[in-house]
Amino acid sequence: MRYSDNIARRKGAGRKGSNSPAAIEQRMKFGVLTKLASVLQAIILLGFPQRKRGLTAANEFVRLNKDICTVTGDAVSVDYERLLCANGQLHTPEVTVTYSAESQKFLFEQTTTEEERNNSADDKVYAVLLESNQGFCRLAELRQRGESGTTSVTLPKRWEKEHVIVYAFATSADGKLASKSIYLTVEEGA
């Protein structure tokens, strides 16, 4: 008793987590996805504007990407072609990418698409460069969806080109809607 209140103390009862192989595998996948979410933090805040109330963008990212990880022994591999760094109902943009080894630049070629529902001319198109080996990420705003043309992005000096993965997605002009992100195959240019 203290000041007319009953106070009880109890020693904490350690971790009750399961050590079954499935639980260990799940914790390994979750760890990798959480690390990816922190690397892509600025991108997923922009790419997941529509989500259930109470869910953060990182929670939505992990929920949608929980099936892209594979555990073999003590290693976790990520299928980067299936990774979603944005999700929504807008149409995906039409973008291709070429890498110029001479200038060490990525050249993004964007084509205009016909305006329709979930596809407005003033939608913003973005490119995501993810360096998977060192955990670096860069977001590049390309053009509006109604424009066509080429945008270049320089490869940062510390990045290894062979580990760079490229995605593209679009958001509405006000940022309240997004498209699914698409994995872009990098063509080698002259």
Side-chain angles (χ1 to χ4, degrees), residues 33-175:
L33 286 173
T34 304
K35 188 174 181 180
L36 256 175
S38 68
V39 168
L40 294 167
Q41 183 178 12
I43 286 91
I44 61 179
L45 284 173
L46 188 65
F48 291 98
Q50 303 162 275
R51 53 187 184 270
K52 292 181 183 177
R53 178 182 266 185
L55 277 182
T56 64
N59 288 346
E60 187 69 7
F61 172 81
V62 171
R63 185 183 72 79
L64 287 173
N65 291 301
K66 65 183 177 215
D67 298 327
I68 66 167
C69 296
T70 309
V71 177
T72 48
D74 289 340
V76 179
S77 61
V78 178
D79 184 1
Y80 287 104
E81 290 186 27
R82 292 179 33 216
L83 180 106
L84 287 176
C85 52
N87 189 38
Q89 62 192 26
L90 295 180
H91 292 299
T92 55
E94 293 188 19
V95 179
T96 58
V97 61
T98 307
Y99 178 72
S100 172
E102 178 183 305
S103 63
Q104 293 188 338
K105 290 185 178 184
F106 288 93
L107 302 171
F108 292 92
E109 183 73 33
Q110 184 177 328
T111 56
T112 309
T113 56
E114 191 175 311
E115 193 164 338
E116 58 184 85
R117 187 171 185 263
N118 293 331
N119 189 17
S120 182
D122 64 347
D123 291 346
K124 296 178 183 177
V125 179
Y126 295 94
V128 177
L129 301 169
L130 172 64
E131 209 280 12
S132 62
N133 193 35
Q134 300 176 53
F136 297 132
C137 184
R138 174 177 279 179
L139 177 70
E141 187 173 338
L142 300 180
R143 298 171 180 272
Q144 290 186 337
R145 196 189 295 259
E147 301 176 35
S148 61
T150 305
T151 306
S152 66
V153 177
T154 306
L155 180 72
K157 297 217 183 284
R158 296 187 340 202
W159 290 30
E160 298 171 13
K161 190 270 171 201
E162 57 274 2
H163 295 291
V164 175
I165 300 149
V166 183
Y167 303 96
F169 68 95
T171 64
S172 59
D174 62 3

